[in-house]
Amino acid sequence: METSFSLSTKTPEETTALGRLVGECCEGGEVFLLRGTLGAGKTCFCQGLARGLGIPENEPVTSPTFTLHCQYFGRLEFNHLDAYRLEGTAGVEGLEELLGAVGAVAAVEWPDFISPQLPSSALSVDIEIANSESRMLVFSASDARAGKTLERIVRTCSQSPRFP
Ligand SMILES: Nc1ncnc2c1ncn2[C@@H]1O[C@H](COP(=O)(O)OP(=O)(O)OP(=O)(O)O)[C@@H](O)[C@H]1O
Ligand SMILES: [Mg+2]
């Protein structure tokens, strides 16, 4: 079972394209925890993830920093959350249900601000700024179920001419 996988992107478009590939690997029930400093590329990745989940190209996918939660419907339901403004709070009622929704995919930016409410099965995506336009993305699986998703992601990336 794969537990960790990393690759780098050289432009925002590449990070979005990687997010799309990851979205295409989803079957429903996946939870992605996106970590990285301000401007690392978490939202950029999620914009691609949404497209890979079949959210129509003409539907804007915006940062949920101020709204906390954005919901989209494509091939799969997509719940995009940003907990940045929840630092120091007790969390949000109903979050566990949202993160455990059957047939839906969730992505959470700044997950450590709501750590008691996170599910035990999740895929972490840690994004590090290497330099102005280059990012290192490290994927890691918290359990065997997330590991299966990671295996699909690794296989799909290795078959892609863009991320061999
Ligand atoms: N390789 C890259 N991948 C992703 N973003 C990049 C890359 N190179 C430069 N950027 C720039 O970095 C910024 C990433 O912004 P984004 O909103 O995705 O960050 P974020 O991690 O969601 O930040 P926040 O914590 O504020 O929500 C954008 O301005 C984007 O153009
Ligand atoms: Mg963001």
Side-chain angles (χ1 to χ4, degrees):
M1 186 192 84
E2 297 281 351
T3 54
S4 174
F5 169 62
S6 60
L7 44 74
S8 62
T9 63
K10 291 184 190 66
T11 61
E13 292 73 26
E14 264 189 36
T15 299
T16 303
L18 176 60
R20 179 190 287 261
L21 273 188
V22 170
E24 288 168 358
C25 294
C26 291
E27 297 177 337
E30 293 84 1
V31 177
F32 295 92
L33 307 179
L34 290 126
R35 297 190 180 85
T37 188
L38 291 167
K42 303 179 290 297
T43 298
C44 198
F45 177 87
C46 290
Q47 286 165 336
L49 187 66
R51 302 304 171 212
L53 296 171
I55 316 303
E57 304 285 342
N58 59 2
E59 187 170 344
V61 174
T62 55
S63 169
T65 302
F66 294 99
T67 51
L68 176 66
H69 174 212
C70 296
Q71 189 169 45
Y72 306 89
F73 298 93
R75 176 175 64 83
L76 295 167
E77 177 184 321
F78 177 43
N79 291 300
H80 185 190
L81 295 110
D82 186 329
Y84 188 69
R85 287 157 65 89
L86 296 178
E87 184 177 16
T89 70
V92 169
E93 208 180 317
L95 208 57
E96 284 92 343
E97 287 75 13
L98 200 59
L99 294 177
V102 179
V105 172
V108 187
E109 300 187 31
W110 297 98
D112 299 324
F113 292 161
I114 50 165
S115 39
Q117 293 191 290
L118 297 175
S120 54
S121 181
L123 252 161
S124 287
V125 185
D126 292 274
I127 309 180
E128 207 171 296
I129 301 180
N131 61 46
S132 60
E133 287 246 300
S134 165
R135 303 289 188 266
M136 174 65 77
L137 291 94
V138 182
F139 293 79
S140 46
S142 67
D143 68 354
R145 186 174 151 207
K148 290 262 177 230
T149 308
L150 190 55
E151 271 176 14
R152 284 199 299 280
I153 294 169
V154 173
R155 205 177 321 123
T156 303
C157 286
S158 67
Q159 287 164 359
S160 153
R162 208 156 173 176
F163 302 105

